[in-house]
């Protein structure tokens, strides 16, 4: 029986609906599942809801609802939000389902039979918010280490012999480097286990909510013990056939629930059951807002679908594309080892720079040029080797990143290809090849289209709707198999291309981010006197745009002047600049510059100059070229 690729997310407490932070773990799993499916694997992606805890029961009562009615509602909201985020799971488990209850009770009985469970008296502190038992010495100023209120508990309980598994666990961790990722988290876990593990209390008094201990109705099973077992109950264990899924290939979770639960209690239970351990546990860091944990009471909750709605209405992009933008943000800023901070400003800026400019421009320019220069068809010509190599290297960087589920690096690898394509278009300049009837034109256009096709494949696990939109504009079926990325025939010859349509309309950031306070601009040292002042109309007469230097060479008989070929959007200009004292021609090629584009052409040393570069003046009167603080869109206007 071939084993399926089995991956899981934590199951979510249904005391409140998901925000962008809680959606992150499920998103990361979704990307991994889609990536594995593209490799032809038979994937089972499990997610679900954790419904039995005291925390959930108390939230239901606070909402004036019966627990079952309450969990039914919120569990449904989770499904709704996941579907809205285009998260496609294969199974959704709820811990109130009979299949789960049955498996949990069976695990309890099995461990009891094997002597891993005993009864005793528990005396200590309980944190309802994280459903965790603490001893006195764990508390900080009378609260849990996370700052939550704790309550005193004293009850007859069942205990699991966790302490007996410390040694075998350490051995497993030390001999399986891939078991806990990232490495920094593995070190935390090893440190925690080495401090010594206490046996775990695994029951609570039965107050009418939870899974009863088999044979003892006065007790319910501790919610973490019950919840962790969802990964096993979803396989159908102990019924034959569970091995088709078991063990998990990868389990994703936030760092807060790795050390104490997923990397100790959970594998210890599995060792007690004599079941193989999951291959990898990945404990990612947190997505913060304003540098702090996302919190309802502080009003810092951002909901992923609301964010997408807002973007769609502001930018005019389609809703499924706006959802992809939220997915892109989560991927690109994935808190892997370290926490990352969400801000609206960063979100909108990335939309403009990475999606509207980088990806949107690469797609639009390529298609427009293919329509203009090769009749809107994939040329019967092989792609230039530089592009083939760029695709190969982006694909292998993506694959390397995914071996450790570094989604942010995978996104960066895909964008590496997008950035290559934009630069390639600038430097190979199909418009000049066309003018000169250069025979390499079809090879260049073929290279551009093959890069787009490969980009479509690379981004498919991250941005599925955008990938579909790119395929439609290329006039091809979606690329669903990873092997086809970069295949020479992935863009069949003579295929008719679709119409180029911008999928990411640019946002006017100045207008949209009005609510973000802008820093005071420092005044120049000598304030202009009234007589020097100009009106805004005077200023806007000067047309400033971003250009990129394509070629640079000295002007003969001049030790000050360089002759530059600069591309501004699609237009090429020759500019003579007095910058030779500070710049070698070679270091200028490929660089972005600020150009005054509406200056009357002039001749300098007999060479025509069709514009002027902006520069600061150094102490010796030499030029220091102005450059955008980061890559700007080609030909961008400057205000
Ligand atoms: N019910 C338990 C898990 C049981 S699994 C057997 C639980 N639920 S939770 O709803 O509180 O959290 C679920 C997941 O969301 C955890 O992996 C947690 O780390 C993650 N996140 C919650 N807020 C987050 C951020 N702000 N950022 C990133 N992940 C976050 O714990």
């Amino acid at each position: 029986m071939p084993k399926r690729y089995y991956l899981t997310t934590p199951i979510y407490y249904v005391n409140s609906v998901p925000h962008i932070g809680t959606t992150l773990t499920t998103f990361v799993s979704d990307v991994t599942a889609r990536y594995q499916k593209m490799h032809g694997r038979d994937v089972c992606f499990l997610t679900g809801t954790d419904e039995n805890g005291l925390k959930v029961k108390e939230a239901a009562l606070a909402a004036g609802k019966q627990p079952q009615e309450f969990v039914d509602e919120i569990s449904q909201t989770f499904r709704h939000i996941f579907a809205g985020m285009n998260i496609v799971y294969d199974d959704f488990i709820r811990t109130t389902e009979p299949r789960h209850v049955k498996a949990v009770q069976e695990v309890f009985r099995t461990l009891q039979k094997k002597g891993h469970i005993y009864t005793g008296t528990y005396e200590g502190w309980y944190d309802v918010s994280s459903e965790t038992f603490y001893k006195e010495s764990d508390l900080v100023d009378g609260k849990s280490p996370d700052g939550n209120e704790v309550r005193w508990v004293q009850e007859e309980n069942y205990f699991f012999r966790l302490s007996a598994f410390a040694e075998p666990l350490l051995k497993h961790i030390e001999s399986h480097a891939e078991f806990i990722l990232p490495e920094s988290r593995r070190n935390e876990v090893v440190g925690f286990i080495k401090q010594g593990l206490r046996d775990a209390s695994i029951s609570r008094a039965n107050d009418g909510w939870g899974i009863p201990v088999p044979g003892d109705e006065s007790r319910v099973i501790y919610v973490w013990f019950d919840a962790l077992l969802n990964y096993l109950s979803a396989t159908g264990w102990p019924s034959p056939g569970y091995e088709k899924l078991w063990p998990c290939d990868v389990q994703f979770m936030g760092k807060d629930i790795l050390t104490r639960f997923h990397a100790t209690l959970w594998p210890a239970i599995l060792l007690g059951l004599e079941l193989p351990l999951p291959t990898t546990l990945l404990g990612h860091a947190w997505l913060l807002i304003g540098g702090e944990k996302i919190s309802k009471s502080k009003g810092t909750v951002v909901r992923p679908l609301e964010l997408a709605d807002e973007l769609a209405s502001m930018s005019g992009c389609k809703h499924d594309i706006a959802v992809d933008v939220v997915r892109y943000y989560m991927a690109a800023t994935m808190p892997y080892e370290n926490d990352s901070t969400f801000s609206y400003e960063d979100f909108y800026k990335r939309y403009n720079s990475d999606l509207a400019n980088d990806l949107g421009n690469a797609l639009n320019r390529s298609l427009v040029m293919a329509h203009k220069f090769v009749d809107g068809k994939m040329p019967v010509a092989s792609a230039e080797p530089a592009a083939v190599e760029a695709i190969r290297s982006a694909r292998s960087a993506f694959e390397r990143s995914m071996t450790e589920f570094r989604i942010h690096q995978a996104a960066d690898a895909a964008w590496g290809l997008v950035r290559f394509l934009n630069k390639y278009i600038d430097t190979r300049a199909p418009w000049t090849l066309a003018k000169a009837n250069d025979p390499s034109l079809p090879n260049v256009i073929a290279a551009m289209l093959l890069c787009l096709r490969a980009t479509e494949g690379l981004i498919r696990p991250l941005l599925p709707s955008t990938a579909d939109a790119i395929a439609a504009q290329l006039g091809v079926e979606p690329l669903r198999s990873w092997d086809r990325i970069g295949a020479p025939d992935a863009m069949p010859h003579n295929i008719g291309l679709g119409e180029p349509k911008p999928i990411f309309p640019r946002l006017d950031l100045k207008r949209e981010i009005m609510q973000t306070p802008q820093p005071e601009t420092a005044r120049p040292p000598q304030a202009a006197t009234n007589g020097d002042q100009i009106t805004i109309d005077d200023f806007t007469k000067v047309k400033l745009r971003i250009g990129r230097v394509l070629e640079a060479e000295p002007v003969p008989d001049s030790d000050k002047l360089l002759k530059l070929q600069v591309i501004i959007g699609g237009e090429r200009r020759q500019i003579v600049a007095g910058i030779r004292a500070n710049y070698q021609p070679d270091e200028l090629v490929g660089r972005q510059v600020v150009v005054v584009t509406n200056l009357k052409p002039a001749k300098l040393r007999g060479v025509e100059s069709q514009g002027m570069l902006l520069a600061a003046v150094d102490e010796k009167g030499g030029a220091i070229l102005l450059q955008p603080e980061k890559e700007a869109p080609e030909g961008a206007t400057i205000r």
Side-chain angles (χ1 to χ4, degrees):
M1 189 166 33
K3 159 101 174 60
R4 300 177 69 188
Y5 189 95
Y6 184 31
L7 75 166
T8 68
T9 73
I11 48 172
Y12 298 91
Y13 287 130
V14 284
N15 60 323
S16 64
V17 296
H19 52 62
I20 185 165
T22 25
T23 314
L24 180 90
T25 323
T26 317
F27 164 71
V28 168
S29 308
D30 183 63
V31 172
T32 309
R34 288 173 184 272
Y35 175 73
Q36 293 298 342
K37 282 176 188 164
M38 284 181 80
H39 281 81
R41 308 230 159 85
D42 182 10
V43 172
C44 177
F45 163 16
L46 174 74
T47 189
T49 42
D50 185 350
E51 307 185 353
N52 289 323
L54 198 52
K55 170 177 174 135
V56 171
K57 183 183 172 196
E58 291 185 355
L61 298 180
K65 301 211 168 150
Q66 282 307 311
Q68 192 61 54
E69 179 196 356
F70 182 76
V71 298
D72 287 349
E73 257 174 49
I74 304 219
S75 180
Q76 196 49 41
T77 311
F78 270 85
R79 285 175 184 252
H80 169 75
I81 291 177
F82 291 163
M85 287 305 296
N86 212 346
I87 286 169
V88 182
Y89 47 79
D90 300 283
D91 193 1
F92 189 99
I93 191 159
R94 300 181 55 189
T95 54
T96 48
E97 282 178 75
R99 62 169 170 161
H100 177 69
V101 174
K102 206 173 117 214
V104 170
Q105 292 185 325
E106 188 54 32
V107 167
F108 199 98
R109 272 190 223 103
T110 310
L111 292 176
Q112 230 172 0
K113 258 190 240 148
K114 289 178 186 277
H116 298 312
I117 290 180
Y118 61 90
T119 48
T121 306
Y122 179 80
E123 248 191 22
W125 297 97
Y126 194 72
D127 167 10
V128 178
S129 174
S130 65
E131 302 275 13
T132 309
F133 289 102
Y134 287 111
K135 51 183 188 231
E136 184 73 37
S137 58
D138 292 329
L139 301 191
V140 181
D141 297 331
K143 294 194 172 171
S144 81
D146 299 331
N148 300 325
E149 296 298 331
V150 287
R151 53 181 87 164
W152 181 254
V153 182
Q154 183 178 26
E155 46 189 32
E156 279 301 301
N157 267 342
Y158 291 85
F159 284 82
F160 172 62
R161 276 186 218 285
L162 182 58
S163 56
F165 295 97
E167 276 312 310
L169 259 178
L170 279 175
K171 252 200 200 135
H172 185 85
I173 295 170
E174 272 153 21
S175 56
H176 295 80
E178 74 292 1
F179 182 50
I180 297 172
L181 292 177
E183 198 182 334
S184 50
R185 295 267 114 75
R186 182 191 319 142
N187 299 337
E188 281 170 25
V189 170
V190 168
F192 178 75
I193 300 177
K194 282 190 172 161
Q195 275 176 22
L197 296 180
R198 279 176 303 138
D199 289 349
S201 164
I202 54 163
S203 65
R204 303 283 330 268
N206 188 350
D207 59 359
W209 188 244
I211 302 179
V213 167
D216 181 357
E217 288 285 321
S218 72
R219 296 278 172 266
V220 287
I221 293 174
Y222 168 46
V223 65
W224 265 104
F225 187 89
D226 137 15
L228 288 165
L229 290 170
N230 85 87
Y231 309 126
L232 187 58
S233 52
T235 67
W237 181 92
S239 307
Y242 78 90
E243 307 89 337
K244 200 165 174 195
L245 285 174
W246 197 259
C248 305
D249 291 274
V250 57
Q251 303 203 266
F252 294 103
M253 72 224 56
K255 60 182 181 180
D256 50 325
I257 57 174
L258 175 75
T259 308
R260 202 175 268 271
F261 299 112
H262 283 84
T264 44
L265 181 58
W266 170 227
I269 296 172
L270 292 170
L271 290 174
L273 293 170
E274 294 166 46
L275 283 172
L277 300 189
T279 309
T280 296
L281 304 171
L282 184 120
H284 60 71
W286 280 340
L287 191 59
L288 308 175
I289 293 189
E292 290 180 28
K293 240 191 131 177
I294 299 174
S295 139
K296 218 161 130 188
S297 57
K298 288 193 182 142
T300 54
V301 168
V302 174
R303 309 231 183 262
L305 291 183
E306 288 168 13
L307 190 60
D309 284 344
E310 213 172 279
L311 178 72
S313 72
M314 271 172 19
S315 70
C317 72
K318 288 199 180 141
H319 190 267
D320 60 342
I321 297 290
V323 164
D324 269 5
V325 178
V326 179
R327 292 175 60 107
Y328 174 75
Y329 185 89
M330 290 200 258
T333 64
M334 179 195 176
Y336 190 79
E337 247 139 337
N338 301 313
D339 296 343
S340 67
T341 291
F342 169 89
S343 78
Y344 284 98
E345 189 173 350
D346 187 32
F347 175 71
Y348 294 132
K349 276 192 178 157
R350 276 174 184 275
Y351 171 76
N352 265 0
S353 63
D354 302 1
L355 296 161
N357 293 345
D358 290 350
L359 183 55
N361 273 344
L363 174 66
N364 210 252
R365 295 166 82 197
S366 304
L367 282 173
V368 167
M369 288 183 210
H371 277 282
K372 192 158 165 196
F373 301 130
V374 294
D375 292 336
K377 287 192 184 133
M378 173 68 179
V380 185
S382 47
E384 286 200 321
V388 174
E389 173 51 25
I391 295 170
R392 194 206 54 75
S393 107
R395 178 177 149 175
S396 71
F398 196 112
E399 290 164 359
R400 268 197 312 279
S401 311
M402 287 304 285
T403 56
E404 291 196 343
F405 312 99
R406 295 176 184 266
I407 309 286
H408 53 309
Q409 287 177 1
D412 195 52
W415 256 254
L417 181 59
V418 174
R419 287 188 291 264
F420 164 86
L421 175 52
N422 277 321
K423 270 214 177 110
Y424 178 77
I425 298 172
D426 296 340
T427 46
R428 295 299 282 127
W431 52 95
T432 33
L433 301 178
K435 236 188 218 157
N437 267 331
D438 191 312
S440 61
L441 178 65
N443 307 81
V444 170
I445 303 276
M448 286 155 51
L449 296 173
L450 198 63
C451 281
L452 278 182
R453 180 64 157 157
T455 302
E456 179 227 317
L458 291 177
I459 66 169
R460 184 164 288 282
L462 307 162
L463 314 181
S465 304
T466 307
D468 282 349
I470 295 177
Q473 293 200 16
L474 287 175
V476 286
E477 286 298 311
L479 190 151
R480 301 217 179 273
S481 157
W482 194 259
D483 288 350
R484 304 279 302 143
I485 295 175
D489 60 348
M491 272 304 287
H493 292 147
N494 273 328
I495 193 119
L497 304 169
E499 274 309 299
K501 276 182 244 117
I503 41 186
F504 303 108
R506 271 185 75 78
L507 275 176
D508 180 351
L509 283 185
K510 272 221 190 85
R511 202 176 40 131
E512 309 304 353
I513 310 184
M514 283 300 272
Q515 67 267 44
T516 318
Q518 299 295 320
E520 277 267 310
T521 325
R523 298 231 166 265
Q526 296 110 0
T529 62
N530 279 349
D532 293 338
Q533 284 178 350
I534 58 169
T535 66
I536 186 74
D537 290 338
D538 294 330
F539 176 72
T540 51
K541 279 186 197 144
V542 182
K543 301 288 177 223
L544 297 169
R545 290 181 68 189
I546 292 290
R548 189 185 297 280
V549 179
L550 288 183
E551 294 163 23
E553 57 182 308
V555 171
D557 300 330
S558 164
D559 50 8
K560 291 209 181 89
L561 300 179
L562 290 180
K563 182 171 86 173
L564 312 174
Q565 302 301 323
V566 177
I567 185 99
I568 305 159
E571 191 194 346
R572 189 182 173 115
R573 297 260 189 121
Q574 175 169 292
I575 295 176
V576 179
I579 55 174
R580 192 162 169 190
N582 282 359
Y583 294 94
Q584 293 299 319
D586 281 356
E587 60 177 318
L588 293 170
V589 174
R591 188 172 170 139
Q592 287 197 318
V593 284
V594 179
V595 186
V596 182
T597 57
N598 60 341
L599 207 61
K600 259 199 190 139
K603 279 201 172 162
L604 300 169
R605 293 275 164 125
V607 185
E608 182 171 290
S609 181
Q610 302 155 332
M612 185 175 93
L613 302 190
L614 289 194
V617 181
D618 71 12
E619 313 77 32
K620 294 183 186 150
I624 304 170
L625 285 175
L626 296 192
Q627 212 175 359
E629 175 263 333
K630 61 178 180 189
E631 277 283 297
E634 299 300 337
T637 52
I638 295 168
R639 289 181 287 201

